[in-house]
Amino acid sequence: MDITQVVKRRGNCLRRQVAAVIVNGHRIISTGYNGTPSGIRNCCDGGCPRCASDAPPGEQLGDCICAHAEENAIVQAAYHGVALKDSVLYCTDSPCLLCAKMIITAGIKEVVYEQPYLRSRQVAALFREAGVRCRRFRRNSQSRKVRKQTGKKRS
């Protein structure tokens, strides 16, 4: 999950920085962060009128041209011909409904997220029905678990 924190710094959205890292066989196969599509002026440079506006959080999302981190990670894998079947997606925020549908369709078997974001019952129901495991990563309990197993503090 530490790698997602580094990847999210690449996000150029004015409103939120989110990252996704897709792993298969303990290898990173794709990464994504939120921001405008390739070739479009970055959000932080005025590329997305919605993000530059004073629209309240969660409203007028249909006007936002930024792509989500999960969406970018999946699309980047497709662009480079990388199969995602049975992989694990790690993300800083839980997926929205649109990203959940893409995750299922891409064949990703597990989602691990750090912070909840618009995690609706519909997303949970879709994941359950599709057999996609979805769980929250809790940094403090994981750190204790690592220390317990290794006897060392994490740096």
PDB file of all heavy atoms in Angstrom, residues 47-63:
ATOM      1  N   GLY A  47      -7.377  22.156 -17.058  1.00  0.00           N
ATOM      2  CA  GLY A  47      -7.921  21.234 -18.053  1.00  0.00           C
ATOM      3  C   GLY A  47      -9.326  20.761 -17.766  1.00  0.00           C
ATOM      4  O   GLY A  47     -10.064  20.412 -18.682  1.00  0.00           O
ATOM      5  N   CYS A  48      -9.730  20.721 -16.511  1.00  0.00           N
ATOM      6  CA  CYS A  48     -11.073  20.259 -16.153  1.00  0.00           C
ATOM      7  C   CYS A  48     -11.876  21.419 -15.563  1.00  0.00           C
ATOM      8  O   CYS A  48     -11.616  21.841 -14.427  1.00  0.00           O
ATOM      9  CB  CYS A  48     -11.005  19.115 -15.148  1.00  0.00           C
ATOM     10  SG  CYS A  48     -12.657  18.512 -14.669  1.00  0.00           S
ATOM     11  N   PRO A  49     -12.854  21.923 -16.312  1.00  0.00           N
ATOM     12  CA  PRO A  49     -13.652  23.047 -15.815  1.00  0.00           C
ATOM     13  C   PRO A  49     -14.411  22.720 -14.525  1.00  0.00           C
ATOM     14  O   PRO A  49     -14.550  23.579 -13.654  1.00  0.00           O
ATOM     15  CB  PRO A  49     -14.630  23.337 -16.958  1.00  0.00           C
ATOM     16  CG  PRO A  49     -14.074  22.658 -18.154  1.00  0.00           C
ATOM     17  CD  PRO A  49     -13.217  21.531 -17.659  1.00  0.00           C
ATOM     18  N   ARG A  50     -14.874  21.485 -14.376  1.00  0.00           N
ATOM     19  CA  ARG A  50     -15.629  21.115 -13.163  1.00  0.00           C
ATOM     20  C   ARG A  50     -14.749  21.197 -11.934  1.00  0.00           C
ATOM     21  O   ARG A  50     -15.119  21.730 -10.911  1.00  0.00           O
ATOM     22  CB  ARG A  50     -16.214  19.710 -13.323  1.00  0.00           C
ATOM     23  CG  ARG A  50     -17.189  19.351 -12.205  1.00  0.00           C
ATOM     24  CD  ARG A  50     -16.511  18.539 -11.173  1.00  0.00           C
ATOM     25  NE  ARG A  50     -17.379  18.322 -10.024  1.00  0.00           N
ATOM     26  CZ  ARG A  50     -16.940  17.893  -8.877  1.00  0.00           C
ATOM     27  NH1 ARG A  50     -15.666  17.646  -8.703  1.00  0.00           N
ATOM     28  NH2 ARG A  50     -17.742  17.728  -7.873  1.00  0.00           N
ATOM     29  N   CYS A  51     -13.532  20.660 -12.041  1.00  0.00           N
ATOM     30  CA  CYS A  51     -12.628  20.676 -10.888  1.00  0.00           C
ATOM     31  C   CYS A  51     -12.187  22.095 -10.538  1.00  0.00           C
ATOM     32  O   CYS A  51     -11.923  22.391  -9.379  1.00  0.00           O
ATOM     33  CB  CYS A  51     -11.414  19.789 -11.151  1.00  0.00           C
ATOM     34  SG  CYS A  51     -11.824  18.026 -11.143  1.00  0.00           S
ATOM     35  N   ALA A  52     -12.112  22.958 -11.541  1.00  0.00           N
ATOM     36  CA  ALA A  52     -11.718  24.348 -11.304  1.00  0.00           C
ATOM     37  C   ALA A  52     -12.886  25.200 -10.788  1.00  0.00           C
ATOM     38  O   ALA A  52     -12.671  26.322 -10.339  1.00  0.00           O
ATOM     39  CB  ALA A  52     -11.165  24.960 -12.592  1.00  0.00           C
ATOM     40  N   SER A  53     -14.089  24.639 -10.826  1.00  0.00           N
ATOM     41  CA  SER A  53     -15.279  25.391 -10.395  1.00  0.00           C
ATOM     42  C   SER A  53     -15.475  25.275  -8.891  1.00  0.00           C
ATOM     43  O   SER A  53     -14.716  24.603  -8.199  1.00  0.00           O
ATOM     44  CB  SER A  53     -16.526  24.861 -11.116  1.00  0.00           C
ATOM     45  OG  SER A  53     -16.929  23.618 -10.557  1.00  0.00           O
ATOM     46  N   ASP A  54     -16.531  25.893  -8.412  1.00  0.00           N
ATOM     47  CA  ASP A  54     -16.843  25.812  -6.983  1.00  0.00           C
ATOM     48  C   ASP A  54     -17.949  24.790  -6.719  1.00  0.00           C
ATOM     49  O   ASP A  54     -18.648  24.870  -5.721  1.00  0.00           O
ATOM     50  CB  ASP A  54     -17.224  27.194  -6.436  1.00  0.00           C
ATOM     51  CG  ASP A  54     -18.423  27.812  -7.134  1.00  0.00           C
ATOM     52  OD1 ASP A  54     -18.940  27.211  -8.092  1.00  0.00           O
ATOM     53  OD2 ASP A  54     -18.848  28.906  -6.715  1.00  0.00           O
ATOM     54  N   ALA A  55     -18.099  23.815  -7.604  1.00  0.00           N
ATOM     55  CA  ALA A  55     -19.100  22.759  -7.426  1.00  0.00           C
ATOM     56  C   ALA A  55     -18.814  22.006  -6.133  1.00  0.00           C
ATOM     57  O   ALA A  55     -17.670  21.635  -5.871  1.00  0.00           O
ATOM     58  CB  ALA A  55     -19.083  21.799  -8.608  1.00  0.00           C
ATOM     59  N   PRO A  56     -19.828  21.773  -5.323  1.00  0.00           N
ATOM     60  CA  PRO A  56     -19.630  21.019  -4.078  1.00  0.00           C
ATOM     61  C   PRO A  56     -19.155  19.596  -4.355  1.00  0.00           C
ATOM     62  O   PRO A  56     -19.454  19.032  -5.416  1.00  0.00           O
ATOM     63  CB  PRO A  56     -21.027  21.000  -3.440  1.00  0.00           C
ATOM     64  CG  PRO A  56     -21.785  22.093  -4.119  1.00  0.00           C
ATOM     65  CD  PRO A  56     -21.203  22.230  -5.497  1.00  0.00           C
ATOM     66  N   PRO A  57     -18.410  19.003  -3.429  1.00  0.00           N
ATOM     67  CA  PRO A  57     -17.944  17.621  -3.605  1.00  0.00           C
ATOM     68  C   PRO A  57     -19.117  16.681  -3.885  1.00  0.00           C
ATOM     69  O   PRO A  57     -20.166  16.784  -3.261  1.00  0.00           O
ATOM     70  CB  PRO A  57     -17.290  17.289  -2.261  1.00  0.00           C
ATOM     71  CG  PRO A  57     -16.929  18.615  -1.680  1.00  0.00           C
ATOM     72  CD  PRO A  57     -17.982  19.586  -2.154  1.00  0.00           C
ATOM     73  N   GLY A  58     -18.922  15.798  -4.839  1.00  0.00           N
ATOM     74  CA  GLY A  58     -19.945  14.815  -5.166  1.00  0.00           C
ATOM     75  C   GLY A  58     -21.017  15.309  -6.119  1.00  0.00           C
ATOM     76  O   GLY A  58     -21.881  14.540  -6.522  1.00  0.00           O
ATOM     77  N   GLU A  59     -20.990  16.576  -6.501  1.00  0.00           N
ATOM     78  CA  GLU A  59     -22.000  17.125  -7.405  1.00  0.00           C
ATOM     79  C   GLU A  59     -21.381  17.464  -8.757  1.00  0.00           C
ATOM     80  O   GLU A  59     -20.196  17.750  -8.854  1.00  0.00           O
ATOM     81  CB  GLU A  59     -22.655  18.362  -6.786  1.00  0.00           C
ATOM     82  CG  GLU A  59     -23.483  18.026  -5.567  1.00  0.00           C
ATOM     83  CD  GLU A  59     -24.256  19.216  -5.022  1.00  0.00           C
ATOM     84  OE1 GLU A  59     -24.427  20.209  -5.751  1.00  0.00           O
ATOM     85  OE2 GLU A  59     -24.673  19.142  -3.872  1.00  0.00           O
ATOM     86  N   GLN A  60     -22.195  17.434  -9.775  1.00  0.00           N
ATOM     87  CA  GLN A  60     -21.801  17.734 -11.157  1.00  0.00           C
ATOM     88  C   GLN A  60     -20.644  16.838 -11.629  1.00  0.00           C
ATOM     89  O   GLN A  60     -19.802  17.257 -12.423  1.00  0.00           O
ATOM     90  CB  GLN A  60     -21.434  19.207 -11.312  1.00  0.00           C
ATOM     91  CG  GLN A  60     -22.559  20.148 -10.980  1.00  0.00           C
ATOM     92  CD  GLN A  60     -22.126  21.612 -10.989  1.00  0.00           C
ATOM     93  OE1 GLN A  60     -20.945  21.922 -10.994  1.00  0.00           O
ATOM     94  NE2 GLN A  60     -23.095  22.505 -10.985  1.00  0.00           N
ATOM     95  N   LEU A  61     -20.617  15.613 -11.132  1.00  0.00           N
ATOM     96  CA  LEU A  61     -19.534  14.698 -11.506  1.00  0.00           C
ATOM     97  C   LEU A  61     -19.556  14.360 -12.989  1.00  0.00           C
ATOM     98  O   LEU A  61     -18.523  14.047 -13.572  1.00  0.00           O
ATOM     99  CB  LEU A  61     -19.597  13.423 -10.658  1.00  0.00           C
ATOM    100  CG  LEU A  61     -19.347  13.612  -9.166  1.00  0.00           C
ATOM    101  CD1 LEU A  61     -19.514  12.297  -8.426  1.00  0.00           C
ATOM    102  CD2 LEU A  61     -17.981  14.200  -8.910  1.00  0.00           C
ATOM    103  N   GLY A  62     -20.723  14.459 -13.615  1.00  0.00           N
ATOM    104  CA  GLY A  62     -20.829  14.201 -15.039  1.00  0.00           C
ATOM    105  C   GLY A  62     -20.079  15.231 -15.880  1.00  0.00           C
ATOM    106  O   GLY A  62     -19.767  14.983 -17.048  1.00  0.00           O
ATOM    107  N   ASP A  63     -19.765  16.379 -15.299  1.00  0.00           N
ATOM    108  CA  ASP A  63     -19.021  17.428 -16.010  1.00  0.00           C
ATOM    109  C   ASP A  63     -17.516  17.277 -15.856  1.00  0.00           C
ATOM    110  O   ASP A  63     -16.752  17.976 -16.520  1.00  0.00           O
ATOM    111  CB  ASP A  63     -19.433  18.815 -15.490  1.00  0.00           C
ATOM    112  CG  ASP A  63     -20.893  19.129 -15.790  1.00  0.00           C
ATOM    113  OD1 ASP A  63     -21.442  18.549 -16.749  1.00  0.00           O
ATOM    114  OD2 ASP A  63     -21.484  19.957 -15.069  1.00  0.00           O
TER     115      ASP A  63
END
